[in-house]
Amino acid sequence: MSNERHVHVSLRGVTKIFRGAGGTPPVHALGPIDLDLRRGEFFAVVGPSGCGKSTLLEVLAGLSEVTEGEVRFEGKPIHGEIMDGVGVVFQEDACFPWMNIYDNIAFGLRQTSITATEIEGRVKRALSMMGLTPFAQSYPAQLSGGMRQRVCIARTLVLQPRLILLDEPFGALDQQTRLLMGEELLRLWRETGATIFLITHALDEAAMLADRIGVMSARPGRLLEIVETGWARDRDSRIVETDEFGRITARLWQWLRGESMKSIDQSSTAA
Amino acid sequence: MKRTGILRILVIAGLIGLLEVLCRVGVIDNFTMPPPSRIAYDLWRILITGKFNAAIAKTFSNAALAFVLAVTIGIAAGVIIHAMRPLREALDPFFATYYAIPVLAFYPLLIILFGLGDAPKIIIAFMLGVVAIIVNTLNGLDRVPRVLLKTARMARLNPIATAIKITLPSATPYLLTGIKFAVAYSLIGIIGSEFVMSTNGIGFEIAFAYNNFDNATMYPLILLVMIVSISINTGLGLWEKMLLSRRGLR
Ligand SMILES: Nc1ncnc2c1ncn2[C@@H]1O[C@H](COP(=O)(O)OP(=O)(O)OP(=O)(O)O)[C@@H](O)[C@H]1O
Ligand SMILES: [Mg+2]
């Protein structure tokens, strides 16, 4: 296949069913999903809450094994093991509260065979890139939620992953900070050339950042539609003023409106 | 110093002062209890003459040994029990009722088994402390955020490295609570055993002084035990406070 080189991650019939614990019925969380992520693209996923977005991310990360189907990263199948070159920024705050910011960012690097001088160089660059240099010796509790999230992003970036998975990284931030962090993420994406898989619940964020946006259905999460944005690679947050941005956001909402209502029904009947 | 700290010292100083006055004016007669200033002076004499140095060294070294055993074995056992769900479920009710058992009641049995040496005392103190450590270790391990464990998996830490680098540091505030209990329990276990039946140690000397109406020995030794255990706990409390404030928890 000629496009083999361009496919970075491929999912075929990926399905995840959580076995019910202690007499509860099994939960069909995800799939089946077929999807190819292109090398170096910025792919965003939107979907109603509880539709299986984080589950999909954990499958891609190798943290969670699929019930059915196959995931390949750079041509190699993933069977619930961590692949070299994959980095994750989780939905929850993953800073280690007992380590200062410097040590938090260096944590992943120190588990590798990378030399101490190289680690120091990378951490210092990441600190300055993320505007965290003055806080290197601070502890996570002394930082705001947005800064802690930047620590987690920096901690992943210093490992120079070729595939970066982000699970609602800006979920806890205010609108202005989100926009700026989004721009920051675009800049990092351009500089590193990595493939980005971003989960978000903000339609405008997806529309502004991504090359393609996957719209997921209510649980079990399937891909309903993939929307191509067609943005230039060196875009920034000013595209939100364009008509095209409005059209894309509107289209995402058309797809999601019904699904979100289903998802609310699901949770109210489950409760 | 914070206002509560000043207030605390004032309350304690006030109570000691009150006791001093009550003893001096004879409301509490001197055969019952000497005035606090006298007790402090007697303790000072005991320490500089070195009269009870052997007993003091015996008690605190035994307590230290029991404490170290309780902490290391307790944490290791906690980690293992936490990893084994069925074992955990089997033991939980035992832990919940453990402190209803008067451990000291086993002391005579231990003397029969091991003789009247240090071993029975250390075992009693260990038995008192170890379960507090296990329970608090389990408590702390239950509260390790899952996302930190996922981060460890992404960094491909093996289970032992994960326990050392992630799980235990995350659980440290809970471990410290257990450690504070273990300090108290190891002293109680050793001194209590010495008091009941022994040939040496502070507890033995207190019991001996008690039987001979020797207030000039009994009260200073009690004061010594109080000073030592309060100092250790205050030290651990300060460490805990620093740890918690660093984590934004206090
Ligand atoms: N370990 C698990 N065991 C059982 N069910 C699970 C487990 N993890 C997730 N689920 C269920 O799978 C479904 C999808 O969960 P997931 O966290 O992937 O959703 P999400 O789209 O990320 O939601 P949100 O938008 O709230 O982050 C939910 O119904 C959830 O309750
Ligand atoms: Mg999620």
Side-chain angles (χ1 to χ4, degrees), chain A residues 58 61-63 80 82-84 86 88 90 92-98 107-108 111 139 141 155, chain B residues 145 147-157 161 165-167 169-171 245-249:
Chain A
E58 296 207 352
L63 287 169
I82 311 303
M83 307 289 276
D84 216 8
V86 182
V88 180
F90 291 104
E92 304 89 1
D93 177 7
C95 289
F96 298 132
W98 61 91
F107 174 76
Q111 316 309 318
Y139 284 84
R155 174 204 270 174
Chain B
V147 69
L148 301 190
L149 298 174
K150 287 185 202 166
T151 305
R153 280 186 62 198
M154 287 310 296
R156 287 185 233 169
L157 262 59
K165 292 183 181 172
I166 309 296
T167 328
S170 176
S245 74
R246 177 180 288 175
R247 296 185 187 201
L249 294 173

Side-chain angles (χ1 to χ4, degrees), chain B residues 133-248:
Chain B
I133 296 281
I134 294 177
V135 167
N136 282 287
T137 304
L138 288 172
N139 210 350
L141 296 185
D142 287 343
R143 282 164 182 74
V144 177
R146 290 175 63 100
V147 69
L148 301 190
L149 298 174
K150 287 185 202 166
T151 305
R153 280 186 62 198
M154 287 310 296
R156 287 185 233 169
L157 262 59
N158 62 39
I160 292 171
T162 304
I164 292 169
K165 292 183 181 172
I166 309 296
T167 328
L168 288 178
S170 176
T172 308
Y174 294 91
L175 297 186
L176 263 178
T177 307
I179 286 172
K180 286 205 290 196
F181 277 112
V183 169
Y185 280 135
S186 48
L187 280 170
I188 292 170
I190 296 293
I191 295 173
S193 308
E194 287 168 351
F195 196 86
V196 173
M197 190 183 288
S198 177
T199 54
N200 52 26
I202 297 177
F204 167 78
E205 298 296 352
I206 291 174
F208 190 82
Y210 170 76
N211 289 324
N212 292 290
F213 307 102
D214 180 6
N215 282 354
T217 304
M218 185 178 87
Y219 280 104
L221 288 179
I222 294 175
L223 178 64
L224 176 68
V225 173
M226 281 171 63
I227 290 172
V228 169
S229 60
I230 289 173
S231 318
I232 295 175
N233 257 290
T234 306
L236 286 170
L238 289 174
W239 183 21
E240 186 178 30
K241 207 168 165 191
M242 183 201 76
L243 220 97
L244 291 181
S245 74
R246 177 180 288 175
R247 296 185 187 201

Side-chain angles (χ1 to χ4, degrees), chain A residues 249-261:
Chain A
T249 316
R251 198 155 150 223
L252 293 175
W253 179 233
Q254 271 168 20
W255 276 107
L256 272 182
R257 189 167 175 276
E259 292 305 317
S260 302
M261 277 159 52

Side-chain angles (χ1 to χ4, degrees), chain B residues 43-79:
Chain B
L43 174 58
W44 174 246
R45 294 290 312 163
I46 283 174
L47 291 177
I48 56 167
T49 56
K51 192 176 164 202
F52 291 112
N53 276 2
I56 292 168
K58 187 96 224 162
T59 297
F60 289 125
S61 61
N62 279 347
L65 184 57
F67 168 79
V68 169
L69 287 173
V71 170
T72 49
I73 294 176
I75 291 176
V79 170

Side-chain angles (χ1 to χ4, degrees), chain A residues 7 29 81 83 116 143 155 217 268:
Chain A
V7 176
E81 83 271 14
M83 307 289 276
L143 270 56
R155 174 204 270 174
S217 68
S268 60

